[in-house]
PDB file of all heavy atoms in Angstrom:
ATOM      1  N   TRP Y 132      32.153  14.382 -41.166  1.00  0.00           N
ATOM      2  CA  TRP Y 132      31.312  15.184 -40.322  1.00  0.00           C
ATOM      3  C   TRP Y 132      30.019  15.385 -41.105  1.00  0.00           C
ATOM      4  O   TRP Y 132      30.080  16.027 -42.246  1.00  0.00           O
ATOM      5  CB  TRP Y 132      31.979  16.436 -39.920  1.00  0.00           C
ATOM      6  CG  TRP Y 132      31.179  17.258 -38.981  1.00  0.00           C
ATOM      7  CD1 TRP Y 132      30.065  18.058 -39.323  1.00  0.00           C
ATOM      8  CD2 TRP Y 132      31.359  17.431 -37.527  1.00  0.00           C
ATOM      9  NE1 TRP Y 132      29.622  18.627 -38.161  1.00  0.00           N
ATOM     10  CE2 TRP Y 132      30.323  18.325 -37.110  1.00  0.00           C
ATOM     11  CE3 TRP Y 132      32.274  16.923 -36.669  1.00  0.00           C
ATOM     12  CZ2 TRP Y 132      30.200  18.633 -35.721  1.00  0.00           C
ATOM     13  CZ3 TRP Y 132      32.116  17.268 -35.322  1.00  0.00           C
ATOM     14  CH2 TRP Y 132      31.098  18.133 -34.863  1.00  0.00           C
ATOM     15  N   ARG Y 133      28.887  14.974 -40.647  1.00  0.00           N
ATOM     16  CA  ARG Y 133      27.688  14.928 -41.495  1.00  0.00           C
ATOM     17  C   ARG Y 133      26.593  15.913 -41.111  1.00  0.00           C
ATOM     18  O   ARG Y 133      25.451  15.815 -41.575  1.00  0.00           O
ATOM     19  CB  ARG Y 133      27.089  13.580 -41.519  1.00  0.00           C
ATOM     20  CG  ARG Y 133      28.084  12.464 -41.876  1.00  0.00           C
ATOM     21  CD  ARG Y 133      28.399  12.456 -43.393  1.00  0.00           C
ATOM     22  NE  ARG Y 133      29.377  11.435 -43.705  1.00  0.00           N
ATOM     23  CZ  ARG Y 133      30.345  11.589 -44.658  1.00  0.00           C
ATOM     24  NH1 ARG Y 133      30.458  12.759 -45.276  1.00  0.00           N
ATOM     25  NH2 ARG Y 133      31.183  10.644 -44.920  1.00  0.00           N
ATOM     26  N   LEU Y 134      26.928  16.889 -40.278  1.00  0.00           N
ATOM     27  CA  LEU Y 134      25.920  17.769 -39.730  1.00  0.00           C
ATOM     28  C   LEU Y 134      26.252  19.246 -39.966  1.00  0.00           C
ATOM     29  O   LEU Y 134      27.346  19.633 -39.545  1.00  0.00           O
ATOM     30  CB  LEU Y 134      25.621  17.528 -38.281  1.00  0.00           C
ATOM     31  CG  LEU Y 134      24.680  18.478 -37.541  1.00  0.00           C
ATOM     32  CD1 LEU Y 134      23.287  18.326 -38.041  1.00  0.00           C
ATOM     33  CD2 LEU Y 134      24.718  18.196 -36.042  1.00  0.00           C
ATOM     34  N   GLU Y 135      25.444  19.979 -40.701  1.00  0.00           N
ATOM     35  CA  GLU Y 135      25.727  21.399 -40.894  1.00  0.00           C
ATOM     36  C   GLU Y 135      25.653  22.147 -39.614  1.00  0.00           C
ATOM     37  O   GLU Y 135      24.672  22.054 -38.868  1.00  0.00           O
ATOM     38  CB  GLU Y 135      24.700  21.987 -41.836  1.00  0.00           C
ATOM     39  CG  GLU Y 135      24.865  23.453 -42.142  1.00  0.00           C
ATOM     40  CD  GLU Y 135      23.711  24.099 -42.880  1.00  0.00           C
ATOM     41  OE1 GLU Y 135      22.557  23.665 -42.804  1.00  0.00           O
ATOM     42  OE2 GLU Y 135      23.957  25.144 -43.580  1.00  0.00           O
ATOM     43  N   ILE Y 136      26.792  22.886 -39.293  1.00  0.00           N
ATOM     44  CA  ILE Y 136      26.873  23.740 -38.150  1.00  0.00           C
ATOM     45  C   ILE Y 136      27.147  25.127 -38.694  1.00  0.00           C
ATOM     46  O   ILE Y 136      28.188  25.385 -39.262  1.00  0.00           O
ATOM     47  CB  ILE Y 136      27.996  23.293 -37.190  1.00  0.00           C
ATOM     48  CG1 ILE Y 136      27.704  21.889 -36.634  1.00  0.00           C
ATOM     49  CG2 ILE Y 136      28.135  24.291 -36.019  1.00  0.00           C
ATOM     50  CD1 ILE Y 136      26.466  21.739 -35.719  1.00  0.00           C
ATOM     51  N   LYS Y 137      26.183  26.049 -38.520  1.00  0.00           N
ATOM     52  CA  LYS Y 137      26.254  27.380 -39.194  1.00  0.00           C
ATOM     53  C   LYS Y 137      27.482  28.144 -38.679  1.00  0.00           C
ATOM     54  O   LYS Y 137      28.081  28.809 -39.475  1.00  0.00           O
ATOM     55  CB  LYS Y 137      24.992  28.157 -38.894  1.00  0.00           C
ATOM     56  CG  LYS Y 137      23.703  27.470 -39.303  1.00  0.00           C
ATOM     57  CD  LYS Y 137      23.161  27.975 -40.633  1.00  0.00           C
ATOM     58  CE  LYS Y 137      21.785  27.402 -40.857  1.00  0.00           C
ATOM     59  NZ  LYS Y 137      21.450  27.350 -42.253  1.00  0.00           N
ATOM     60  N   ARG Y 138      27.803  28.060 -37.424  1.00  0.00           N
ATOM     61  CA  ARG Y 138      28.912  28.852 -36.870  1.00  0.00           C
ATOM     62  C   ARG Y 138      30.268  28.351 -37.376  1.00  0.00           C
ATOM     63  O   ARG Y 138      31.221  29.099 -37.420  1.00  0.00           O
ATOM     64  CB  ARG Y 138      28.859  28.780 -35.346  1.00  0.00           C
ATOM     65  CG  ARG Y 138      29.757  29.799 -34.708  1.00  0.00           C
ATOM     66  CD  ARG Y 138      29.669  29.823 -33.222  1.00  0.00           C
ATOM     67  NE  ARG Y 138      30.696  30.557 -32.655  1.00  0.00           N
ATOM     68  CZ  ARG Y 138      30.517  31.761 -32.059  1.00  0.00           C
ATOM     69  NH1 ARG Y 138      29.330  32.241 -31.990  1.00  0.00           N
ATOM     70  NH2 ARG Y 138      31.531  32.388 -31.560  1.00  0.00           N
ATOM     71  N   TYR Y 139      30.317  27.063 -37.712  1.00  0.00           N
ATOM     72  CA  TYR Y 139      31.597  26.495 -38.132  1.00  0.00           C
ATOM     73  C   TYR Y 139      31.422  25.795 -39.540  1.00  0.00           C
ATOM     74  O   TYR Y 139      31.405  24.576 -39.509  1.00  0.00           O
ATOM     75  CB  TYR Y 139      32.159  25.523 -37.099  1.00  0.00           C
ATOM     76  CG  TYR Y 139      32.392  26.190 -35.769  1.00  0.00           C
ATOM     77  CD1 TYR Y 139      31.589  26.030 -34.648  1.00  0.00           C
ATOM     78  CD2 TYR Y 139      33.481  27.068 -35.637  1.00  0.00           C
ATOM     79  CE1 TYR Y 139      31.868  26.667 -33.452  1.00  0.00           C
ATOM     80  CE2 TYR Y 139      33.764  27.725 -34.436  1.00  0.00           C
ATOM     81  CZ  TYR Y 139      32.912  27.457 -33.394  1.00  0.00           C
ATOM     82  OH  TYR Y 139      33.215  28.083 -32.122  1.00  0.00           O
ATOM     83  N   PRO Y 140      31.311  26.606 -40.599  1.00  0.00           N
ATOM     84  CA  PRO Y 140      30.984  25.964 -41.853  1.00  0.00           C
ATOM     85  C   PRO Y 140      32.055  24.998 -42.442  1.00  0.00           C
ATOM     86  O   PRO Y 140      31.695  24.141 -43.170  1.00  0.00           O
ATOM     87  CB  PRO Y 140      30.855  27.193 -42.845  1.00  0.00           C
ATOM     88  CG  PRO Y 140      31.535  28.325 -42.116  1.00  0.00           C
ATOM     89  CD  PRO Y 140      31.429  28.031 -40.662  1.00  0.00           C
ATOM     90  N   ARG Y 141      33.291  25.219 -41.989  1.00  0.00           N
ATOM     91  CA  ARG Y 141      34.351  24.218 -42.507  1.00  0.00           C
ATOM     92  C   ARG Y 141      34.078  22.833 -42.046  1.00  0.00           C
ATOM     93  O   ARG Y 141      34.614  21.883 -42.686  1.00  0.00           O
ATOM     94  CB  ARG Y 141      35.712  24.708 -42.059  1.00  0.00           C
ATOM     95  CG  ARG Y 141      36.219  25.880 -42.897  1.00  0.00           C
ATOM     96  CD  ARG Y 141      37.562  26.378 -42.372  1.00  0.00           C
ATOM     97  NE  ARG Y 141      38.627  25.373 -42.338  1.00  0.00           N
ATOM     98  CZ  ARG Y 141      39.401  25.006 -43.371  1.00  0.00           C
ATOM     99  NH1 ARG Y 141      39.236  25.642 -44.546  1.00  0.00           N
ATOM    100  NH2 ARG Y 141      40.326  24.106 -43.300  1.00  0.00           N
ATOM    101  N   LEU Y 142      33.292  22.625 -40.975  1.00  0.00           N
ATOM    102  CA  LEU Y 142      33.031  21.231 -40.551  1.00  0.00           C
ATOM    103  C   LEU Y 142      32.490  20.426 -41.674  1.00  0.00           C
ATOM    104  O   LEU Y 142      32.795  19.251 -41.817  1.00  0.00           O
ATOM    105  CB  LEU Y 142      32.038  21.233 -39.328  1.00  0.00           C
ATOM    106  CG  LEU Y 142      32.677  21.611 -37.991  1.00  0.00           C
ATOM    107  CD1 LEU Y 142      31.571  21.804 -36.941  1.00  0.00           C
ATOM    108  CD2 LEU Y 142      33.690  20.527 -37.538  1.00  0.00           C
ATOM    109  N   THR Y 143      31.568  21.026 -42.449  1.00  0.00           N
ATOM    110  CA  THR Y 143      31.056  20.298 -43.596  1.00  0.00           C
ATOM    111  C   THR Y 143      31.722  20.600 -44.945  1.00  0.00           C
ATOM    112  O   THR Y 143      31.878  19.760 -45.797  1.00  0.00           O
ATOM    113  CB  THR Y 143      29.505  20.450 -43.734  1.00  0.00           C
ATOM    114  OG1 THR Y 143      29.171  21.892 -43.587  1.00  0.00           O
ATOM    115  CG2 THR Y 143      28.742  19.686 -42.720  1.00  0.00           C
ATOM    116  N   GLU Y 144      32.225  21.851 -45.048  1.00  0.00           N
ATOM    117  CA  GLU Y 144      32.980  22.211 -46.297  1.00  0.00           C
ATOM    118  C   GLU Y 144      34.208  21.303 -46.428  1.00  0.00           C
ATOM    119  O   GLU Y 144      34.565  20.874 -47.525  1.00  0.00           O
ATOM    120  CB  GLU Y 144      33.495  23.681 -46.243  1.00  0.00           C
ATOM    121  CG  GLU Y 144      32.385  24.660 -46.468  1.00  0.00           C
ATOM    122  CD  GLU Y 144      32.797  26.079 -46.100  1.00  0.00           C
ATOM    123  OE1 GLU Y 144      33.979  26.391 -45.843  1.00  0.00           O
ATOM    124  OE2 GLU Y 144      31.896  26.952 -46.117  1.00  0.00           O
ATOM    125  N   VAL Y 145      34.862  21.046 -45.300  1.00  0.00           N
ATOM    126  CA  VAL Y 145      36.095  20.202 -45.354  1.00  0.00           C
ATOM    127  C   VAL Y 145      35.781  18.765 -44.826  1.00  0.00           C
ATOM    128  O   VAL Y 145      36.197  17.805 -45.375  1.00  0.00           O
ATOM    129  CB  VAL Y 145      37.175  20.794 -44.499  1.00  0.00           C
ATOM    130  CG1 VAL Y 145      38.383  19.889 -44.390  1.00  0.00           C
ATOM    131  CG2 VAL Y 145      37.606  22.148 -45.078  1.00  0.00           C
ATOM    132  N   GLY Y 146      35.027  18.738 -43.715  1.00  0.00           N
ATOM    133  CA  GLY Y 146      34.878  17.487 -42.983  1.00  0.00           C
ATOM    134  C   GLY Y 146      33.859  16.485 -43.599  1.00  0.00           C
ATOM    135  O   GLY Y 146      33.754  15.405 -43.090  1.00  0.00           O
ATOM    136  N   ALA Y 147      33.108  16.890 -44.590  1.00  0.00           N
ATOM    137  CA  ALA Y 147      32.075  16.005 -45.108  1.00  0.00           C
ATOM    138  C   ALA Y 147      32.539  15.277 -46.331  1.00  0.00           C
ATOM    139  O   ALA Y 147      31.764  14.509 -46.942  1.00  0.00           O
ATOM    140  CB  ALA Y 147      30.795  16.800 -45.449  1.00  0.00           C
TER     141      ALA Y 147
END
Side-chain angles (χ1 to χ4, degrees):
W132 183 284
R133 306 290 179 214
L134 174 64
E135 179 189 25
I136 298 293
K137 304 261 190 204
R138 191 179 171 106
Y139 297 108
R141 281 176 60 85
L142 282 172
T143 43
E144 285 167 9
V145 174

